[in-house]
PDB file of all heavy atoms in Angstrom:
ATOM      1  N   LEU A 486      95.183  96.957 131.831  1.00  0.00           N
ATOM      2  CA  LEU A 486      96.153  95.885 132.019  1.00  0.00           C
ATOM      3  C   LEU A 486      96.938  96.094 133.322  1.00  0.00           C
ATOM      4  O   LEU A 486      97.286  95.131 134.031  1.00  0.00           O
ATOM      5  CB  LEU A 486      97.071  95.788 130.829  1.00  0.00           C
ATOM      6  CG  LEU A 486      96.447  95.377 129.489  1.00  0.00           C
ATOM      7  CD1 LEU A 486      97.446  95.464 128.347  1.00  0.00           C
ATOM      8  CD2 LEU A 486      95.899  93.941 129.588  1.00  0.00           C
ATOM      9  N   ARG A 487      97.223  97.358 133.658  1.00  0.00           N
ATOM     10  CA  ARG A 487      97.913  97.626 134.933  1.00  0.00           C
ATOM     11  C   ARG A 487      97.040  97.284 136.100  1.00  0.00           C
ATOM     12  O   ARG A 487      97.497  96.748 137.110  1.00  0.00           O
ATOM     13  CB  ARG A 487      98.370  99.074 134.968  1.00  0.00           C
ATOM     14  CG  ARG A 487      99.520  99.426 134.058  1.00  0.00           C
ATOM     15  CD  ARG A 487     100.101 100.829 134.378  1.00  0.00           C
ATOM     16  NE  ARG A 487      99.160 101.895 134.097  1.00  0.00           N
ATOM     17  CZ  ARG A 487      99.066 102.535 132.926  1.00  0.00           C
ATOM     18  NH1 ARG A 487      99.868 102.171 131.922  1.00  0.00           N
ATOM     19  NH2 ARG A 487      98.214 103.484 132.739  1.00  0.00           N
ATOM     20  N   LYS A 488      95.753  97.637 135.989  1.00  0.00           N
ATOM     21  CA  LYS A 488      94.801  97.369 137.089  1.00  0.00           C
ATOM     22  C   LYS A 488      94.505  95.872 137.251  1.00  0.00           C
ATOM     23  O   LYS A 488      94.015  95.443 138.324  1.00  0.00           O
ATOM     24  CB  LYS A 488      93.479  98.103 136.827  1.00  0.00           C
ATOM     25  CG  LYS A 488      93.584  99.612 136.957  1.00  0.00           C
ATOM     26  CD  LYS A 488      92.261 100.290 136.608  1.00  0.00           C
ATOM     27  CE  LYS A 488      92.346 101.797 136.666  1.00  0.00           C
ATOM     28  NZ  LYS A 488      91.117 102.458 136.223  1.00  0.00           N
ATOM     29  N   ALA A 489      94.789  95.089 136.221  1.00  0.00           N
ATOM     30  CA  ALA A 489      94.437  93.674 136.273  1.00  0.00           C
ATOM     31  C   ALA A 489      95.251  92.902 137.286  1.00  0.00           C
ATOM     32  O   ALA A 489      94.848  91.789 137.720  1.00  0.00           O
ATOM     33  CB  ALA A 489      94.650  93.053 134.889  1.00  0.00           C
ATOM     34  N   GLY A 490      96.392  93.446 137.712  1.00  0.00           N
ATOM     35  CA  GLY A 490      97.187  92.788 138.706  1.00  0.00           C
ATOM     36  C   GLY A 490      97.688  91.426 138.248  1.00  0.00           C
ATOM     37  O   GLY A 490      98.336  91.291 137.228  1.00  0.00           O
ATOM     38  N   ASP A 491      97.323  90.373 139.003  1.00  0.00           N
ATOM     39  CA  ASP A 491      97.787  89.015 138.710  1.00  0.00           C
ATOM     40  C   ASP A 491      97.020  88.397 137.550  1.00  0.00           C
ATOM     41  O   ASP A 491      97.486  87.371 136.990  1.00  0.00           O
ATOM     42  CB  ASP A 491      97.649  88.137 139.956  1.00  0.00           C
ATOM     43  CG  ASP A 491      98.578  88.582 141.092  1.00  0.00           C
ATOM     44  OD1 ASP A 491      99.602  89.224 140.756  1.00  0.00           O
ATOM     45  OD2 ASP A 491      98.256  88.320 142.269  1.00  0.00           O
ATOM     46  N   ALA A 492      95.859  88.947 137.220  1.00  0.00           N
ATOM     47  CA  ALA A 492      95.096  88.383 136.075  1.00  0.00           C
ATOM     48  C   ALA A 492      95.796  88.739 134.782  1.00  0.00           C
ATOM     49  O   ALA A 492      95.926  89.900 134.433  1.00  0.00           O
ATOM     50  CB  ALA A 492      93.667  88.924 136.100  1.00  0.00           C
ATOM     51  N   ARG A 493      96.228  87.722 134.058  1.00  0.00           N
ATOM     52  CA  ARG A 493      96.990  87.958 132.839  1.00  0.00           C
ATOM     53  C   ARG A 493      96.138  87.637 131.600  1.00  0.00           C
ATOM     54  O   ARG A 493      95.199  86.808 131.673  1.00  0.00           O
ATOM     55  CB  ARG A 493      98.258  87.094 132.753  1.00  0.00           C
ATOM     56  CG  ARG A 493      99.179  87.191 133.949  1.00  0.00           C
ATOM     57  CD  ARG A 493      99.455  88.594 134.447  1.00  0.00           C
ATOM     58  NE  ARG A 493      99.919  89.507 133.413  1.00  0.00           N
ATOM     59  CZ  ARG A 493      99.765  90.809 133.487  1.00  0.00           C
ATOM     60  NH1 ARG A 493      99.173  91.361 134.520  1.00  0.00           N
ATOM     61  NH2 ARG A 493     100.205  91.583 132.532  1.00  0.00           N
ATOM     62  N   PRO A 494      96.401  88.269 130.445  1.00  0.00           N
ATOM     63  CA  PRO A 494      95.654  87.975 129.235  1.00  0.00           C
ATOM     64  C   PRO A 494      95.927  86.522 128.757  1.00  0.00           C
ATOM     65  O   PRO A 494      97.082  86.157 128.505  1.00  0.00           O
ATOM     66  CB  PRO A 494      96.215  88.980 128.209  1.00  0.00           C
ATOM     67  CG  PRO A 494      96.896  90.028 129.025  1.00  0.00           C
ATOM     68  CD  PRO A 494      97.408  89.348 130.242  1.00  0.00           C
ATOM     69  N   VAL A 495      94.881  85.743 128.691  1.00  0.00           N
ATOM     70  CA  VAL A 495      94.997  84.365 128.201  1.00  0.00           C
ATOM     71  C   VAL A 495      93.768  84.041 127.355  1.00  0.00           C
ATOM     72  O   VAL A 495      92.628  84.267 127.778  1.00  0.00           O
ATOM     73  CB  VAL A 495      95.079  83.332 129.377  1.00  0.00           C
ATOM     74  CG1 VAL A 495      95.170  81.911 128.831  1.00  0.00           C
ATOM     75  CG2 VAL A 495      96.239  83.649 130.305  1.00  0.00           C
ATOM     76  N   ALA A 496      94.010  83.514 126.133  1.00  0.00           N
ATOM     77  CA  ALA A 496      92.907  83.134 125.259  1.00  0.00           C
ATOM     78  C   ALA A 496      92.237  81.862 125.764  1.00  0.00           C
ATOM     79  O   ALA A 496      92.912  80.904 126.122  1.00  0.00           O
ATOM     80  CB  ALA A 496      93.410  82.927 123.837  1.00  0.00           C
ATOM     81  N   HIS A 497      90.909  81.856 125.756  1.00  0.00           N
ATOM     82  CA  HIS A 497      90.121  80.680 126.141  1.00  0.00           C
ATOM     83  C   HIS A 497      89.161  80.336 125.009  1.00  0.00           C
ATOM     84  O   HIS A 497      88.011  80.786 124.990  1.00  0.00           O
ATOM     85  CB  HIS A 497      89.370  80.941 127.438  1.00  0.00           C
ATOM     86  CG  HIS A 497      90.233  80.837 128.663  1.00  0.00           C
ATOM     87  ND1 HIS A 497      90.416  79.656 129.337  1.00  0.00           N
ATOM     88  CD2 HIS A 497      90.929  81.779 129.328  1.00  0.00           C
ATOM     89  CE1 HIS A 497      91.200  79.857 130.369  1.00  0.00           C
ATOM     90  NE2 HIS A 497      91.542  81.156 130.395  1.00  0.00           N
ATOM     91  N   PRO A 498      89.610  79.534 124.051  1.00  0.00           N
ATOM     92  CA  PRO A 498      88.771  79.215 122.853  1.00  0.00           C
ATOM     93  C   PRO A 498      87.504  78.496 123.199  1.00  0.00           C
ATOM     94  O   PRO A 498      86.572  78.484 122.391  1.00  0.00           O
ATOM     95  CB  PRO A 498      89.708  78.326 122.016  1.00  0.00           C
ATOM     96  CG  PRO A 498      91.084  78.619 122.501  1.00  0.00           C
ATOM     97  CD  PRO A 498      90.962  78.944 123.920  1.00  0.00           C
ATOM     98  N   GLU A 499      87.417  77.876 124.381  1.00  0.00           N
ATOM     99  CA  GLU A 499      86.196  77.127 124.719  1.00  0.00           C
ATOM    100  C   GLU A 499      85.031  78.019 125.092  1.00  0.00           C
ATOM    101  O   GLU A 499      83.852  77.582 125.161  1.00  0.00           O
ATOM    102  CB  GLU A 499      86.518  76.152 125.848  1.00  0.00           C
ATOM    103  CG  GLU A 499      86.634  76.793 127.262  1.00  0.00           C
ATOM    104  CD  GLU A 499      88.006  77.439 127.538  1.00  0.00           C
ATOM    105  OE1 GLU A 499      88.825  77.442 126.603  1.00  0.00           O
ATOM    106  OE2 GLU A 499      88.199  77.940 128.649  1.00  0.00           O
ATOM    107  N   LEU A 500      85.297  79.310 125.328  1.00  0.00           N
ATOM    108  CA  LEU A 500      84.257  80.232 125.789  1.00  0.00           C
ATOM    109  C   LEU A 500      83.395  80.734 124.633  1.00  0.00           C
ATOM    110  O   LEU A 500      83.906  80.980 123.527  1.00  0.00           O
ATOM    111  CB  LEU A 500      84.870  81.436 126.492  1.00  0.00           C
ATOM    112  CG  LEU A 500      85.586  81.193 127.835  1.00  0.00           C
ATOM    113  CD1 LEU A 500      86.176  82.482 128.327  1.00  0.00           C
ATOM    114  CD2 LEU A 500      84.612  80.622 128.877  1.00  0.00           C
ATOM    115  N   ALA A 501      82.112  80.931 124.934  1.00  0.00           N
ATOM    116  CA  ALA A 501      81.229  81.604 123.998  1.00  0.00           C
ATOM    117  C   ALA A 501      81.543  83.103 124.007  1.00  0.00           C
ATOM    118  O   ALA A 501      81.921  83.677 125.044  1.00  0.00           O
ATOM    119  CB  ALA A 501      79.767  81.380 124.375  1.00  0.00           C
ATOM    120  N   LEU A 502      81.429  83.762 122.856  1.00  0.00           N
ATOM    121  CA  LEU A 502      81.742  85.175 122.743  1.00  0.00           C
ATOM    122  C   LEU A 502      80.468  86.000 122.659  1.00  0.00           C
ATOM    123  O   LEU A 502      79.531  85.634 121.960  1.00  0.00           O
ATOM    124  CB  LEU A 502      82.608  85.456 121.512  1.00  0.00           C
ATOM    125  CG  LEU A 502      83.977  84.781 121.474  1.00  0.00           C
ATOM    126  CD1 LEU A 502      84.671  85.084 120.137  1.00  0.00           C
ATOM    127  CD2 LEU A 502      84.861  85.270 122.626  1.00  0.00           C
ATOM    128  N   ALA A 503      80.464  87.142 123.347  1.00  0.00           N
ATOM    129  CA  ALA A 503      79.354  88.077 123.194  1.00  0.00           C
ATOM    130  C   ALA A 503      79.457  88.753 121.840  1.00  0.00           C
ATOM    131  O   ALA A 503      80.519  88.758 121.218  1.00  0.00           O
ATOM    132  CB  ALA A 503      79.441  89.127 124.322  1.00  0.00           C
ATOM    133  N   PRO A 504      78.351  89.324 121.338  1.00  0.00           N
ATOM    134  CA  PRO A 504      78.364  89.959 120.022  1.00  0.00           C
ATOM    135  C   PRO A 504      79.488  90.999 119.862  1.00  0.00           C
ATOM    136  O   PRO A 504      80.168  91.046 118.842  1.00  0.00           O
ATOM    137  CB  PRO A 504      76.991  90.614 119.932  1.00  0.00           C
ATOM    138  CG  PRO A 504      76.108  89.750 120.738  1.00  0.00           C
ATOM    139  CD  PRO A 504      76.972  89.313 121.906  1.00  0.00           C
ATOM    140  N   ALA A 505      79.725  91.816 120.919  1.00  0.00           N
ATOM    141  CA  ALA A 505      80.782  92.836 120.802  1.00  0.00           C
ATOM    142  C   ALA A 505      82.172  92.212 120.789  1.00  0.00           C
ATOM    143  O   ALA A 505      83.094  92.754 120.154  1.00  0.00           O
ATOM    144  CB  ALA A 505      80.667  93.836 121.973  1.00  0.00           C
ATOM    145  N   GLU A 506      82.322  91.097 121.474  1.00  0.00           N
ATOM    146  CA  GLU A 506      83.605  90.382 121.431  1.00  0.00           C
ATOM    147  C   GLU A 506      83.854  89.798 120.045  1.00  0.00           C
ATOM    148  O   GLU A 506      84.972  89.865 119.520  1.00  0.00           O
ATOM    149  CB  GLU A 506      83.617  89.245 122.471  1.00  0.00           C
ATOM    150  CG  GLU A 506      83.638  89.719 123.915  1.00  0.00           C
ATOM    151  CD  GLU A 506      83.526  88.581 124.900  1.00  0.00           C
ATOM    152  OE1 GLU A 506      82.530  87.843 124.835  1.00  0.00           O
ATOM    153  OE2 GLU A 506      84.462  88.386 125.701  1.00  0.00           O
ATOM    154  N   ARG A 507      82.817  89.277 119.445  1.00  0.00           N
ATOM    155  CA  ARG A 507      82.937  88.709 118.097  1.00  0.00           C
ATOM    156  C   ARG A 507      83.313  89.790 117.112  1.00  0.00           C
ATOM    157  O   ARG A 507      84.197  89.620 116.256  1.00  0.00           O
ATOM    158  CB  ARG A 507      81.634  88.046 117.659  1.00  0.00           C
ATOM    159  CG  ARG A 507      81.270  86.752 118.374  1.00  0.00           C
ATOM    160  CD  ARG A 507      79.923  86.224 117.899  1.00  0.00           C
ATOM    161  NE  ARG A 507      79.958  85.976 116.453  1.00  0.00           N
ATOM    162  CZ  ARG A 507      80.418  84.871 115.884  1.00  0.00           C
ATOM    163  NH1 ARG A 507      80.875  83.895 116.650  1.00  0.00           N
ATOM    164  NH2 ARG A 507      80.404  84.728 114.576  1.00  0.00           N
TER     165      ARG A 507
END
Side-chain angles (χ1 to χ4, degrees):
L486 294 173
R487 288 192 294 270
K488 291 176 182 176
D491 294 335
R493 308 314 308 156
V495 179
H497 282 272
E499 75 280 2
L500 292 177
L502 297 176
E506 291 176 301
R507 289 178 59 84

